[in-house]
């Protein structure tokens, strides 16, 4: 019922409804959706028969999409970016003459429209058509509107919902510590065992000498200990 | 005179082993020669240890000199113990060098006191080197990608710092990341989308539309300017760096940690054998 009414209204005003649906650019462009911008394909070969028209992009919330009036004028404060989304549910931006979207699409060029790239005019109410950064994650719906002077002559379909990225807090990053690796456990274990063996060997060595008093009463050891190099040829019997 | 006394000392030791060999000139000469050969083979482990000591010192000085400039990142994590392990390695290397000279002197003089001092000092050095190895291996395990990611998001280009220490760490992290991204042509820890997926201190001062990721992630010309800033902001391949910097960080740090840990481990295994041999030799020396 509602779309039928819209269609009647459109034909009544001489507004052509084109079946083109605006889409996001392909996947190899990494910045196609950021926290406050998104990138659309240009509407090439869509408005060929409207060579005198200005092509405008309409960005709207859900309410704006339902309530949008195609007789919107770009300079009007009701459709200005600065009042979006609190005081208005849609705005017009990125106005361009039709010849910018000529057909065919140039082969080796990237033909895109970045919505949200102008940060200078975002607070400047004297620039109501500012292509300012989007204020929230959305979702947003877009469509193109061709205006001949102040008369709308053609419009495309609304796009699908475009929801921007919501960034998480860094505190939510899990597991900044690591698990114990096998190599570290091997090093610790082996070195501890070796140190223990060394200490045990040191104790055994010291105790086998006179320190612990274990072997100190063997007569031959005592005699060897008193063996004096200067008297080698004088006391041969002391060896026994 | 000294040489004569030394020969007699060795002779005495050999005779105490052989026991009833008797004192005859040929026998004593033979045993003296045998003692000389035995002595030089005894000294070989100690000169090997001199080499090990020098090698350990050199390796640890190389790591401490931080050729890749990654120390500020570790300092900011307050987890820079692999550098402490390398510092300990330097001093242990010197100690090994000095003690091996002491060991050589002790063996040549066959002095029980000197060798006992040597053994005890070597055990202390062993304990220090063991601490260094274990520290390097343990703290290497802490260096995960998420650790560096969190640190980058919280500190890179942070503008409101609490105190002097915080300011210094923030500046260190910022400078290190700028250098990393420029020199290695990389962006973020996993990629540029790190800056999109998480809020960060960078995002507080640089809005998302103009700086979806830092401009150091852009491909630069020779004057250090992005060749195409719009292409970089869009994320068009060829105008921005899409790979992450984690490999450029973890590669050098891993090599450092494993270098200190495994080389130290190898030295300690060798030291273990030499120390056991020294203790065995010590227990056989006569005064």
């Amino acid at each position: 019922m509602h779309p039928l009414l819209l269609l009647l209204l459109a034909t009544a005003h001489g507004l052509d409804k084109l079946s083109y649906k605006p889409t996001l650019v392909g996947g190899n462009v990494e910045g196609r959706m950021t926290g406050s911008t998104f990138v659309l394909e240009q509407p090439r070969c869509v408005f060929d028969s409207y060579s005198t028209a200005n092509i405008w992009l309409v960005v709207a919330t859900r309410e704006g999409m339902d309530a949008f009036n195609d007789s919107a004028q770009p300079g009007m404060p009701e459709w200005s970016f600065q009042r979006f989304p609190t005081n208005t549910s849609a705005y017009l931006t990125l106005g361009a003459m039709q010849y910018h979207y000529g057909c065919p699409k140039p082969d080796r060029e990237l033909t895109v429209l970045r919505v949200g790239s102008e940060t200078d005019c975002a607070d400047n109410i004297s620039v109501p058509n500012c292509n300012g950064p989007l204020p929230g994650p959305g979702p947003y719906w877009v469509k193109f509107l061709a205006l001949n002077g102040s008369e709308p002559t053609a419009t495309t379909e609304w796009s699908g919902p475009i929801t921007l990225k919501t960034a998480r807090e860094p505190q939510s990053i899990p597991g900044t510590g690591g698990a114990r690796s096998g190599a570290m456990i091997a090093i610790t274990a082996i070195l501890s065992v070796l140190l223990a063996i060394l200490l045990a060997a040191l104790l055994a060595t010291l105790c086998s000498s006179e320190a612990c008093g274990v072997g100190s009463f063997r007569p031959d050891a005592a005699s060897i200990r008193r063996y004096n190099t200067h008297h080698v040829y004088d006391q041969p019997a002391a060896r026994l | 005179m000294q040489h004569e006394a030394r020969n007699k000392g060795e002779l005495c030791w050999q005779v105490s082993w052989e026991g009833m060999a008797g004192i005859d000139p040929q026998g004593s000469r033979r045993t003296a020669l045998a003692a000389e050969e035995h002595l030089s083979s005894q000294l070989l482990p100690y000169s090997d240890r001199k080499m090990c000591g020098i090698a350990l010192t050199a390796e640890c000085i190389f790591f401490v000199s931080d050729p890749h400039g990654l120390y500020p990142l570790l300092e900011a994590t307050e987890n820079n113990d692999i550098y402490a392990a390398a510092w300990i390695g330097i001093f242990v290397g010197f100690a090994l060098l000095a003690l091996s000279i002491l060991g050589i002197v002790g063996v040549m003089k066959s002095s029980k006191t000197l060798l006992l001092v040597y053994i005890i000092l070597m055990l202390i050095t062993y304990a220090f080197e063991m601490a260094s190895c274990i520290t390097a291996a343990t703290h290497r395990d802490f260096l995960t990608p998420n650790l560096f990611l969190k640190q980058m998001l919280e500190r890179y280009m942070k503008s409101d710092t609490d105190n002097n220490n915080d300011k210094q760490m923030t500046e260190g992290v910022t400078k290190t990341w700028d250098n990393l991204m420029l020199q290695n042509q990389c962006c973020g820890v996993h990629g540029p989308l790190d800056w999109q997926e998480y809020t960060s201190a960078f995002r507080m001062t640089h809005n998302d539309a103009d700086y979806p990721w830092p401009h150091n992630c852009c491909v630069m010309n020779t004057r250090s300017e992005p060749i195409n800033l719009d292409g970089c902001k869009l994320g068009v391949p060829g105008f921005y760096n899409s790979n992450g910097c984690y490999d450029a960080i973890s590669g050098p740090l891993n090599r450092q940690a494993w270098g200190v840990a495994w080389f130290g481990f190898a030295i300690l295994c060798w030291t273990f054998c030499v120390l056991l041999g020294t203790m065995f030799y010590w227990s056989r020396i006569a005064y």
Side-chain angles (χ1 to χ4, degrees), chain B residues 6 36 39 51 57 92 110 116 128 149 158 163 165 183 208 220 245 275 277:
Chain B
R6 186 174 73 105
E36 288 270 356
L39 186 67
M51 295 298 126
T57 304
V92 164
S110 292
L116 187 62
F128 271 106
L149 179 63
K158 184 172 167 189
N163 53 36
N165 192 26
Q183 280 165 11
D208 175 80
M220 300 286 191
C245 296
L275 269 182

Side-chain angles (χ1 to χ4, degrees), chain B:
Chain B
M1 173 71 174
Q2 216 171 356
H3 185 71
E4 202 183 9
R6 186 174 73 105
N7 271 344
K8 281 199 182 131
E10 288 149 19
L11 175 63
C12 144
W13 169 69
Q14 279 296 318
V15 167
S16 76
W17 264 111
E18 263 78 6
M20 306 309 128
I23 301 294
D24 61 296
Q26 275 82 13
S28 66
R29 204 170 300 119
R30 256 184 289 122
T31 51
L33 279 174
E36 288 270 356
E37 283 166 12
H38 196 71
L39 186 67
S40 54
S41 70
Q42 280 279 321
L43 290 183
L44 190 61
Y46 298 94
S47 42
D48 273 356
R49 291 256 302 300
K50 260 203 294 225
M51 295 298 126
C52 287
I54 294 175
L56 182 65
T57 304
E59 186 204 21
C60 290
I61 288 180
F62 172 70
F63 286 137
V64 165
S65 70
D66 193 23
H68 295 274
L70 293 172
Y71 182 71
L73 291 186
L74 289 182
E75 192 186 19
T77 65
E78 284 152 13
N79 196 353
N80 55 354
D81 283 339
I82 57 177
Y83 277 90
W87 276 108
I88 295 179
I90 291 178
F91 293 115
V92 164
F94 275 131
L96 281 179
L97 183 62
L99 285 177
S100 66
I101 295 176
L102 177 67
I104 288 177
V105 166
V107 165
M108 278 169 42
K109 289 195 172 165
S110 292
S111 153
K112 270 195 124 131
T113 333
L114 270 185
L115 281 183
L116 187 62
V117 166
Y118 167 80
I119 287 173
I120 296 202
L121 287 181
M122 274 303 300
L123 277 177
I124 295 176
T125 311
Y126 188 98
F128 271 106
E129 179 61 19
M130 190 169 125
S132 162
C133 286
I134 295 177
T135 304
T138 309
H139 285 273
R140 158 65 199 91
D141 292 341
F142 287 155
L143 303 178
T144 53
N146 281 347
L147 178 73
F148 291 113
L149 179 63
K150 198 158 173 207
Q151 182 197 70
M152 178 183 83
L153 293 170
E154 286 176 355
R155 284 203 188 269
Y156 181 72
M157 299 256 194
K158 184 172 167 189
S159 54
D160 54 336
T161 50
D162 305 326
N163 53 36
N164 233 1
N165 192 26
D166 196 28
K167 185 157 174 293
Q168 202 188 350
M169 286 204 278
T170 299
E171 280 173 17
V173 170
T174 303
K175 218 156 70 76
T176 305
W177 270 105
D178 284 339
N179 280 341
L180 260 179
M181 293 198 282
L182 281 176
Q183 280 165 11
N184 299 92
Q185 280 96 44
C186 58
C187 187
V189 172
H190 302 294
L193 289 180
D194 286 343
W195 301 103
Q196 286 295 313
E197 276 183 50
Y198 298 97
T199 62
S200 52
F202 174 74
R203 186 60 64 224
M204 301 286 171
T205 46
H206 297 76
N207 64 66
D208 175 80
D210 284 333
Y211 295 90
W213 32 76
H215 285 176
N216 278 346
C217 293
C218 302
V219 175
M220 300 286 191
N221 60 15
T222 48
R223 284 191 307 256
S224 295
E225 294 157 358
I227 54 177
N228 188 333
L229 191 58
D230 287 326
C232 179
K233 287 196 267 188
L234 278 173
V236 179
F239 296 111
Y240 79 115
N241 300 317
S242 56
N243 48 316
C245 296
Y246 182 64
D247 286 337
I249 298 173
S250 71
L253 287 179
N254 269 350
R255 279 196 290 276
Q256 169 166 344
W258 292 134
V260 171
W262 285 115
F263 190 53
F265 181 75
I267 287 184
L268 286 181
C269 288
W270 174 231
T271 305
F272 172 75
C273 299
V274 172
L275 269 182
L276 274 185
T278 310
M279 284 188 214
F280 185 64
Y281 176 78
W282 184 84
S283 66
R284 293 282 179 269
I285 289 182
Y287 275 113

Side-chain angles (χ1 to χ4, degrees), chain A residues 155-193:
Chain A
T155 179
T156 65
E157 293 195 14
W158 287 101
S159 66
I162 298 173
T163 314
L164 300 179
K165 281 185 197 283
T166 315
R168 291 181 279 161
E169 289 287 322
Q171 280 76 21
S172 67
I173 296 176
T176 50
R180 297 276 176 265
S181 66
M184 170 258 168
I185 292 177
I187 288 180
T188 311
I190 293 177
L191 288 181
S192 310
V193 164

Side-chain angles (χ1 to χ4, degrees), chain A residues 92-113:
Chain A
L92 275 78
T93 185
L94 276 173
M97 299 290 291
Q98 189 275 337
Y99 64 82
H100 290 294
Y101 303 135
C103 212
K105 185 164 113 63
D107 204 13
R108 300 167 66 79
E109 281 177 29
L110 193 64
T111 53
V112 295
L113 289 174

